[in-house]
C-alpha cells in the first residue's frame, strides 16, 4: 500500500463529490465483478476440492457400471481384484452429469426447499448472506473508514492517517465486534461444564482464532474499499466469504475420498494465494486509491 500512501497526499481537483460517494454508494458493476474474482482466486483450493469430488464420484459410478456389465457376462470374477483399486481415469460424460447432479444439484435444490419451508433455515441464510454482510460493511467500512482517513492526528505535524494505517485500524473494531460469540457459546453450556477450565480455554481459543481471521478479512475489505470506493464490491466480497466459509482441508484426513489428491489440492491453495497476492497490483484494482482522492477534493 506504499504507493497508495503517496497518492493520498497528492494534489487533486477541488470539486467536492456528492456526500454519498464518501460512503461507497456508486455504480461500478465491472469493478465489483473484479473484486469478486479476486476473492474467488483465494478459494482456488476449495473450488478444486468441489470439482475433484464430482470427478471422483463419476469415476466410481463408471467403475460400478463396468462391474455390473461384467457380472452379467460372467467375467467379473477374473478382474474384480484389480477393479477394486483401479478407477477409470477419464469417466464418461453421462457419469459426470450424474455425479454433478448427486454432489451439487440435489444439495442445492434441497437447500432452496429448506429456505422456502424452514423459517429458521431461511432467517439463518438471510442473516449470513444478506443482512450481516450489508450491515457490517456499512458500519465498519462505509461509516468508519472515511472519518479515519479524514481525521487529524494530534501531533505537532497534524498529519492524517494513511490508507494503510486506516485499513489496519478499522478491522480491529470489526474483530472485537465478534467477541459476543464467546458469551453466546458459554451461555449454551450446561452448568457443570461452565466450571471446567479446559472447556473455557477451548472457548477462548475459538474466540482468538475467530478474532484473527475476522480482523484479517476486515483488513482486506478495508483495503478494497479504500482502493475502489465501492460499498457494493466489499458487500459482495463479504457474501462470497460467508458462503465459502473456511478453507476445506478435509483431504488431509486418511479416510477422505480426496486423500489421494491432497498434494494437488495443497498446490491449488498455494497457487491461489499467490495469484491473490499478485492481484493487488494488477488491473483488478485502480492504480490510485479512490477514497483518499475523494476526501482530498473536499479539503
Amino acid at each position: 500500500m506504499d504507493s497508495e500512501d503517496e497518492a493520498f497526499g497528492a494534489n487533486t481537483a477541488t470539486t467536492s463529490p456528492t456526500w454519498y460517494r464518501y460512503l461507497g454508494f456508486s455504480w461500478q458493476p465491472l469493478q465489483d465483478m473484479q473484486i469478486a474474482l479476486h476473492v474467488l482466486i483465494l478459494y482456488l483450493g476449495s473450488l478444486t476440492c468441489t470439482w475433484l469430488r464430482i470427478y471422483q464420484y463419476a469415476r466410481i459410478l463408471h467403475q460400478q457400471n463396468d462391474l455390473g456389465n461384467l457380472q452379467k457376462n460372467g467375467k467379473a470374477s477374473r478382474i474384480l481384484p484389480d477393479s477394486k483399486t483401479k478407477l477409470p481415469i477419464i469417466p464418461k460424460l453421462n457419469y459426470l452429469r450424474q455425479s454433478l447432479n448427486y454432489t451439487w444439484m440435489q444439495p442445492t435444490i434441497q437447500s432452496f426447499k429448506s429456505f422456502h419451508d424452514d423459517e429458521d433455515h431461511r432467517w439463518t441464510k438471510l442473516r449470513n448472506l444478506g443482512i450481516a454482510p450489508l450491515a457490517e460493511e456499512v458500519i465498519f467500512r462505509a461509516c468508519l473508514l472515511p472519518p479515519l482517513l479524514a481525521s487529524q492526528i494530534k501531533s505537532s505535524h497534524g498529519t492524517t492517517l494513511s490508507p494503510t494505517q486506516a485499513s489496519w485500524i478499522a478491522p480491529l473494531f470489526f474483530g472485537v465486534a465478534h467477541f459476543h460469540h464467546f458469551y453466546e457459546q458459554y451461555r449454551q453450556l450446561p452448568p457443570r461444564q461452565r466450571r471446567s477450565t479446559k472447556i473455557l480455554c477451548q472457548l477462548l481459543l475459538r474466540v482468538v482464532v475467530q478474532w484473527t481471521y475476522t480482523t484479517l478479512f476486515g483488513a482486506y475489505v478495508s483495503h478494497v474499499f479504500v482502493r475502489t470506493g465501492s460499498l457494493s464490491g466489499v458487500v459482495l466480497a463479504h457474501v462470497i466469504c460467508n458462503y465459502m466459509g473456511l478453507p476445506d482441508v478435509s483431504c488431509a484426513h486418511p479416510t477422505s475420498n480426496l486423500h489421494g489428491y491432497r498434494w494437488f489440492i495443497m498446490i491449488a491453495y498455494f497457487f491461489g494465494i499467490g495469484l491473490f497476492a499478485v492481484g493487488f497490483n494488477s488491473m483488478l484494482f485502480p492504480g490510485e486509491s479512490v477514497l483518499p482522492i475523494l476526501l482530498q477534493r473536499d479539503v
Side-chain angles (χ1 to χ4, degrees), residues 55-125:
Y55 168 70
Q56 181 71 0
Y57 188 65
R59 296 176 70 195
I60 294 173
L61 289 175
H62 193 160
Q63 182 198 52
Q64 290 176 346
N65 183 74
D66 288 347
L67 287 176
N69 292 334
L70 290 171
Q71 287 174 349
K72 290 180 182 178
N73 297 329
K75 300 178 181 179
S77 59
R78 285 182 289 174
I79 66 170
L80 188 57
D82 291 336
S83 301
K84 286 183 177 180
T85 56
K86 294 182 180 180
L87 294 172
I89 297 176
I90 303 178
K92 293 180 180 179
L93 185 60
N94 62 315
Y95 299 123
L96 286 171
R97 286 198 298 263
Q98 292 177 38
S99 178
L100 179 64
N101 178 64
Y102 178 79
T103 59
W104 187 75
M105 288 295 297
Q106 290 184 15
T108 301
I109 293 172
Q110 184 59 43
S111 179
F112 277 109
K113 288 181 178 178
S114 298
F115 182 85
H116 181 268
D117 300 333
D118 188 341
E119 185 175 359
D120 291 338
H121 178 80
R122 180 165 59 252
W123 279 110
T124 299
K125 288 294 184 182

Side-chain angles (χ1 to χ4, degrees), residues 34-45:
Q34 291 172 333
I35 294 171
L37 175 61
H38 191 234
V39 174
L40 286 172
I41 288 173
L42 189 61
Y43 285 97
L44 185 60

Side-chain angles (χ1 to χ4, degrees), residues 1 11 21 86 127 195 198 242 285:
M1 296 188 193
N11 293 326
R21 285 290 284 114
K86 294 182 180 180
R127 180 197 64 190
R195 303 186 186 94
K198 181 180 179 180
N242 279 6
F285 294 100

Side-chain angles (χ1 to χ4, degrees), residues 3-294:
S3 59
E4 301 168 31
D5 297 344
E6 295 174 2
F8 183 55
N11 293 326
T12 56
T14 57
T15 304
S16 297
T18 312
W19 65 269
Y20 55 78
R21 285 290 284 114
Y22 300 128
L23 301 180
F25 293 102
S26 61
W27 176 247
Q28 304 181 62
L30 179 59
Q31 179 63 77
D32 294 346
M33 291 301 102
Q34 291 172 333
I35 294 171
L37 175 61
H38 191 234
V39 174
L40 286 172
I41 288 173
L42 189 61
Y43 285 97
L44 185 60
S46 295
L47 295 173
T48 301
C49 284
T50 299
W51 284 108
L52 282 175
R53 285 193 181 94
I54 297 172
Y55 168 70
Q56 181 71 0
Y57 188 65
R59 296 176 70 195
I60 294 173
L61 289 175
H62 193 160
Q63 182 198 52
Q64 290 176 346
N65 183 74
D66 288 347
L67 287 176
N69 292 334
L70 290 171
Q71 287 174 349
K72 290 180 182 178
N73 297 329
K75 300 178 181 179
S77 59
R78 285 182 289 174
I79 66 170
L80 188 57
D82 291 336
S83 301
K84 286 183 177 180
T85 56
K86 294 182 180 180
L87 294 172
I89 297 176
I90 303 178
K92 293 180 180 179
L93 185 60
N94 62 315
Y95 299 123
L96 286 171
R97 286 198 298 263
Q98 292 177 38
S99 178
L100 179 64
N101 178 64
Y102 178 79
T103 59
W104 187 75
M105 288 295 297
Q106 290 184 15
T108 301
I109 293 172
Q110 184 59 43
S111 179
F112 277 109
K113 288 181 178 178
S114 298
F115 182 85
H116 181 268
D117 300 333
D118 188 341
E119 185 175 359
D120 291 338
H121 178 80
R122 180 165 59 252
W123 279 110
T124 299
K125 288 294 184 182
L126 287 173
R127 180 197 64 190
N128 294 341
L129 302 179
I131 299 171
L134 179 60
E136 291 177 353
E137 295 310 316
V138 168
I139 294 171
F140 294 104
R141 252 59 71 182
C143 294
L144 190 58
L145 278 167
L148 282 174
L149 286 170
S151 63
Q152 295 286 330
I153 301 175
K154 292 183 179 180
S155 67
S156 58
H157 302 288
T159 56
T160 58
L161 288 173
S162 70
T164 301
Q165 292 170 329
S167 295
W168 281 105
I169 291 175
L172 296 177
F173 296 93
F174 180 61
V176 170
H178 290 78
F179 278 1
H180 69 280
H181 291 294
F182 173 81
Y183 173 72
E184 290 295 330
Q185 294 172 5
Y186 175 79
R187 191 169 59 89
Q188 293 174 5
L189 291 174
R192 291 182 179 179
Q193 293 186 3
R194 294 181 184 180
R195 303 186 186 94
S196 172
T197 304
K198 181 180 179 180
I199 292 179
L200 288 177
C201 289
Q202 291 175 347
L203 289 180
L204 285 173
L205 180 61
R206 290 179 190 173
V207 170
V208 170
V209 171
Q210 186 178 39
W211 178 82
T212 301
Y213 73 73
T214 52
T215 300
L216 290 174
F217 169 76
Y220 168 70
V221 287
S222 294
H223 170 74
V224 170
F225 185 71
V226 170
R227 285 283 293 272
T228 65
S230 174
L231 177 62
S232 57
V234 293
V235 171
L236 181 59
H238 200 145
V239 170
I240 293 173
C241 289
N242 279 6
Y243 177 79
M244 296 296 294
L246 294 175
D248 186 353
V249 293
S250 60
C251 63
H253 199 278
T255 60
S256 171
N257 289 334
L258 301 182
H259 186 65
Y261 304 100
R262 61 191 182 280
W263 292 111
F264 181 76
I265 294 172
M266 291 298 107
I267 291 173
Y269 270 119
F270 285 110
F271 186 66
I273 292 172
L275 288 178
F276 179 79
V278 172
F280 284 109
N281 296 318
S282 68
M283 296 178 62
L284 295 177
F285 294 100
E288 291 185 336
S289 297
V290 173
L291 189 58
I293 292 176
L294 292 175

